[in-house]
Short mmCIF file of all heavy atoms in Angstrom, two decimals:
data_model
loop_
_atom_site.label_atom_id
_atom_site.label_comp_id
_atom_site.label_asym_id
_atom_site.label_seq_id
_atom_site.Cartn_x
_atom_site.Cartn_y
_atom_site.Cartn_z
N SER A 2 -43.30 -109.69 208.16
CA SER A 2 -42.93 -109.69 206.75
C SER A 2 -41.99 -110.86 206.45
O SER A 2 -41.01 -111.08 207.16
CB SER A 2 -42.23 -108.37 206.41
OG SER A 2 -41.72 -108.39 205.09
N VAL A 3 -42.33 -111.62 205.40
CA VAL A 3 -41.50 -112.74 204.96
C VAL A 3 -40.96 -112.40 203.57
O VAL A 3 -41.73 -112.10 202.65
CB VAL A 3 -42.31 -114.05 204.91
CG1 VAL A 3 -41.43 -115.20 204.43
CG2 VAL A 3 -42.89 -114.37 206.28
N ARG A 4 -39.66 -112.43 203.43
CA ARG A 4 -39.02 -112.03 202.18
C ARG A 4 -38.53 -113.26 201.42
O ARG A 4 -37.94 -114.17 202.02
CB ARG A 4 -37.82 -111.10 202.47
CG ARG A 4 -38.22 -109.88 203.27
CD ARG A 4 -37.02 -109.03 203.65
NE ARG A 4 -36.06 -109.73 204.50
CZ ARG A 4 -36.22 -109.88 205.82
NH1 ARG A 4 -37.30 -109.45 206.42
NH2 ARG A 4 -35.28 -110.50 206.52
N ARG A 5 -38.74 -113.25 200.12
CA ARG A 5 -38.27 -114.35 199.28
C ARG A 5 -36.90 -114.02 198.69
O ARG A 5 -36.64 -112.87 198.34
CB ARG A 5 -39.27 -114.63 198.15
CG ARG A 5 -38.84 -115.80 197.27
CD ARG A 5 -39.84 -116.07 196.17
NE ARG A 5 -39.33 -117.06 195.24
CZ ARG A 5 -39.96 -117.46 194.14
NH1 ARG A 5 -41.14 -116.94 193.83
NH2 ARG A 5 -39.43 -118.37 193.35
N ARG A 6 -36.07 -115.05 198.58
CA ARG A 6 -34.74 -114.87 197.99
C ARG A 6 -34.36 -116.12 197.22
O ARG A 6 -34.56 -117.23 197.71
CB ARG A 6 -33.71 -114.60 199.09
CG ARG A 6 -32.29 -114.40 198.56
CD ARG A 6 -31.34 -114.04 199.69
NE ARG A 6 -29.98 -113.92 199.25
CZ ARG A 6 -28.93 -113.68 200.03
NH1 ARG A 6 -29.13 -113.53 201.33
NH2 ARG A 6 -27.71 -113.59 199.55
N ALA A 7 -33.85 -115.94 196.02
CA ALA A 7 -33.36 -117.06 195.22
C ALA A 7 -31.84 -116.99 195.15
O ALA A 7 -31.26 -115.93 194.90
CB ALA A 7 -33.95 -117.02 193.82
N VAL A 8 -31.18 -118.11 195.39
CA VAL A 8 -29.72 -118.19 195.41
C VAL A 8 -29.30 -119.33 194.49
O VAL A 8 -29.88 -120.42 194.53
CB VAL A 8 -29.20 -118.43 196.85
CG1 VAL A 8 -27.70 -118.64 196.85
CG2 VAL A 8 -29.59 -117.27 197.75
N ALA A 9 -28.28 -119.08 193.68
CA ALA A 9 -27.77 -120.12 192.78
C ALA A 9 -26.78 -121.01 193.52
O ALA A 9 -25.85 -120.53 194.18
CB ALA A 9 -27.09 -119.49 191.57
N VAL A 10 -27.02 -122.31 193.43
CA VAL A 10 -26.12 -123.31 194.01
C VAL A 10 -25.72 -124.25 192.89
O VAL A 10 -26.56 -124.97 192.34
CB VAL A 10 -26.80 -124.09 195.16
CG1 VAL A 10 -25.87 -125.15 195.72
CG2 VAL A 10 -27.26 -123.13 196.26
N GLU A 11 -24.45 -124.21 192.52
CA GLU A 11 -23.93 -125.01 191.41
C GLU A 11 -24.76 -124.80 190.14
O GLU A 11 -25.13 -125.74 189.44
CB GLU A 11 -23.87 -126.49 191.79
CG GLU A 11 -22.89 -126.78 192.92
CD GLU A 11 -22.71 -128.26 193.19
OE1 GLU A 11 -23.42 -129.06 192.55
OE2 GLU A 11 -21.86 -128.61 194.02
N GLY A 12 -25.07 -123.53 189.87
CA GLY A 12 -25.77 -123.17 188.65
C GLY A 12 -27.27 -123.39 188.66
O GLY A 12 -27.93 -123.15 187.64
N ARG A 13 -27.82 -123.82 189.77
CA ARG A 13 -29.26 -124.08 189.85
C ARG A 13 -29.84 -123.25 190.99
O ARG A 13 -29.34 -123.28 192.11
CB ARG A 13 -29.51 -125.57 190.09
CG ARG A 13 -30.97 -125.99 189.92
CD ARG A 13 -31.10 -127.48 190.12
NE ARG A 13 -30.27 -128.22 189.18
CZ ARG A 13 -30.65 -128.52 187.94
NH1 ARG A 13 -31.84 -128.13 187.50
NH2 ARG A 13 -29.85 -129.20 187.14
N ALA A 14 -30.93 -122.54 190.70
CA ALA A 14 -31.53 -121.65 191.70
C ALA A 14 -32.21 -122.47 192.80
O ALA A 14 -32.83 -123.51 192.53
CB ALA A 14 -32.54 -120.73 191.05
N MET A 15 -32.10 -121.98 194.03
CA MET A 15 -32.84 -122.54 195.15
C MET A 15 -33.62 -121.41 195.81
O MET A 15 -33.05 -120.36 196.13
CB MET A 15 -31.91 -123.21 196.16
CG MET A 15 -31.35 -124.54 195.68
SD MET A 15 -30.20 -125.32 196.86
CE MET A 15 -31.25 -125.59 198.29
N ALA A 16 -34.93 -121.61 195.97
CA ALA A 16 -35.79 -120.58 196.54
C ALA A 16 -35.81 -120.70 198.06
O ALA A 16 -35.80 -121.80 198.61
CB ALA A 16 -37.20 -120.71 195.99
N ALA A 17 -35.83 -119.56 198.71
CA ALA A 17 -35.88 -119.53 200.17
C ALA A 17 -36.66 -118.31 200.62
O ALA A 17 -36.85 -117.36 199.86
CB ALA A 17 -34.46 -119.51 200.76
N TRP A 18 -37.11 -118.36 201.87
CA TRP A 18 -37.86 -117.26 202.48
C TRP A 18 -37.25 -116.97 203.83
O TRP A 18 -36.80 -117.88 204.53
CB TRP A 18 -39.33 -117.65 202.64
CG TRP A 18 -40.05 -117.75 201.32
CD1 TRP A 18 -40.85 -116.81 200.74
CD2 TRP A 18 -40.02 -118.85 200.41
NE1 TRP A 18 -41.32 -117.26 199.53
CE2 TRP A 18 -40.83 -118.51 199.30
CE3 TRP A 18 -39.39 -120.10 200.41
CZ2 TRP A 18 -41.02 -119.36 198.22
CZ3 TRP A 18 -39.56 -120.95 199.34
CH2 TRP A 18 -40.38 -120.58 198.25
N CYS A 19 -37.25 -115.69 204.19
CA CYS A 19 -36.57 -115.25 205.41
C CYS A 19 -37.46 -114.27 206.17
O CYS A 19 -38.17 -113.46 205.56
CB CYS A 19 -35.24 -114.59 205.05
SG CYS A 19 -34.32 -113.93 206.46
N ALA A 20 -37.40 -114.33 207.49
CA ALA A 20 -38.12 -113.38 208.34
C ALA A 20 -37.35 -113.20 209.63
O ALA A 20 -36.53 -114.05 210.00
CB ALA A 20 -39.55 -113.88 208.63
N GLY A 21 -37.63 -112.11 210.31
CA GLY A 21 -37.14 -111.93 211.66
C GLY A 21 -35.87 -111.10 211.79
O GLY A 21 -35.13 -110.91 210.83
N PRO A 22 -35.62 -110.65 213.02
CA PRO A 22 -34.45 -109.81 213.30
C PRO A 22 -33.21 -110.65 213.59
O PRO A 22 -33.30 -111.84 213.89
CB PRO A 22 -34.90 -109.07 214.58
CG PRO A 22 -35.75 -110.10 215.29
CD PRO A 22 -36.48 -110.86 214.20
N ASP A 23 -32.09 -110.00 213.52
CA ASP A 23 -30.85 -110.60 214.00
C ASP A 23 -30.80 -110.38 215.50
O ASP A 23 -30.43 -109.31 215.98
CB ASP A 23 -29.64 -109.96 213.30
CG ASP A 23 -28.33 -110.58 213.73
OD1 ASP A 23 -28.36 -111.49 214.59
OD2 ASP A 23 -27.27 -110.16 213.22
N ALA A 24 -31.21 -111.41 216.25
CA ALA A 24 -31.34 -111.27 217.70
C ALA A 24 -30.07 -111.69 218.44
O ALA A 24 -30.10 -111.87 219.65
CB ALA A 24 -32.52 -112.11 218.18
N GLY A 25 -28.97 -111.88 217.72
CA GLY A 25 -27.75 -112.32 218.37
C GLY A 25 -27.70 -113.80 218.64
O GLY A 25 -26.79 -114.29 219.29
N LEU A 26 -28.71 -114.53 218.13
CA LEU A 26 -28.76 -115.98 218.27
C LEU A 26 -28.50 -116.61 216.91
O LEU A 26 -28.66 -115.96 215.87
CB LEU A 26 -30.12 -116.42 218.80
CG LEU A 26 -30.45 -115.99 220.24
CD1 LEU A 26 -31.92 -116.24 220.54
CD2 LEU A 26 -29.57 -116.74 221.23
N PRO A 27 -28.11 -117.89 216.88
CA PRO A 27 -27.90 -118.54 215.58
C PRO A 27 -29.17 -118.48 214.73
O PRO A 27 -30.28 -118.68 215.24
CB PRO A 27 -27.56 -119.98 215.96
CG PRO A 27 -27.04 -119.89 217.36
CD PRO A 27 -27.80 -118.78 218.01
N PRO A 28 -29.04 -118.18 213.43
CA PRO A 28 -30.22 -118.24 212.57
C PRO A 28 -30.74 -119.67 212.47
O PRO A 28 -29.99 -120.63 212.63
CB PRO A 28 -29.70 -117.75 211.21
CG PRO A 28 -28.22 -117.91 211.27
CD PRO A 28 -27.82 -117.82 212.71
N VAL A 29 -32.04 -119.77 212.24
CA VAL A 29 -32.71 -121.06 212.10
C VAL A 29 -33.02 -121.28 210.63
O VAL A 29 -33.53 -120.38 209.96
CB VAL A 29 -34.00 -121.11 212.93
CG1 VAL A 29 -34.74 -122.44 212.72
CG2 VAL A 29 -33.69 -120.90 214.41
#
Side-chain angles (χ1 to χ4, degrees):
S2 173
V3 179
R4 304 175 298 280
R5 181 180 173 183
R6 180 176 177 184
V8 175
V10 178
E11 295 187 355
R13 191 177 302 276
M15 287 178 62
W18 290 261
C19 177
D23 182 358
L26 293 169
V29 177

